[in-house]
Amino acid sequence: MYVTDPIADMLTRIRNANMAYHEIVDIPMSNMKHRIARVLKDEGYIKNFKVISDPGKPYQILRIYLNYGPNRERVIQGLRRVSKPGRRIYVNSRDLPKVMGGLGIAIISTSSGLMTDVEARKKGLGGEVLCYVW
């Protein structure tokens, strides 16, 4: 299956699994998706993730364990893809977005790797705004 925007596909799979209260979601693996999953785990939006190699398949799978509150309330309220293949959105360090007034995060692809808008602001880096999570 060929996907034109693999990051949007990842976010849609997470959004759909979250809305259906699934515990895990499997996504075809790539380095960018792995780094996005690491940022989501560091910020507490997901429990954990791991890479699964299946000998019968030519690709690896990124398994994401979703996080819910004590009364099954969703930790991830929303995900939105910002920069798309047809329209890339770049910002400098002074124009980094604040998501939901600082309650959410923006994942930024910088020259120093993937990081949240808060980290990029501290380091004085700009880059491509991949997505918003709240």
Side-chain angles (χ1 to χ4, degrees), residues 53-113:
S53 297
D54 188 5
K57 295 188 178 179
Y59 55 88
Q60 293 178 323
I61 294 173
L62 180 66
R63 178 164 287 170
I64 295 178
Y65 298 90
L66 297 176
N67 196 9
Y68 297 100
N71 295 327
R72 296 284 289 169
E73 60 266 2
R74 295 179 179 95
V75 173
I76 298 175
Q77 297 294 319
L79 293 163
R80 194 175 115 212
R81 178 80 159 116
V82 177
S83 185
K84 299 174 184 174
R87 183 170 186 231
R88 301 290 184 183
I89 306 295
Y90 296 97
V91 294
N92 59 27
S93 60
R94 294 179 306 276
D95 298 330
L96 286 167
K98 285 193 176 187
V99 181
M100 303 291 286
L103 296 176
I105 62 167
I107 298 179
I108 313 290
S109 177
T110 67
S111 57
S112 298

Side-chain angles (χ1 to χ4, degrees), residues 13-65:
R13 287 177 190 232
I14 292 173
R15 186 183 311 112
N16 289 343
N18 188 43
M19 293 302 288
Y21 289 104
H22 288 241
E23 295 296 322
I24 61 170
V25 59
D26 290 342
I27 300 166
M29 169 68 182
S30 76
N31 288 333
M32 178 68 80
K33 294 176 190 177
H34 188 263
R35 290 192 297 261
I36 290 172
R38 184 176 299 131
V39 170
L40 291 175
K41 181 179 185 255
D42 291 344
E43 294 297 315
Y45 286 104
I46 61 174
K47 279 186 196 173
N48 206 353
F49 64 92
K50 69 178 180 180
V51 178
I52 299 171
S53 297
D54 188 5
K57 295 188 178 179
Y59 55 88
Q60 293 178 323
I61 294 173
L62 180 66
R63 178 164 287 170
I64 295 178
Y65 298 90

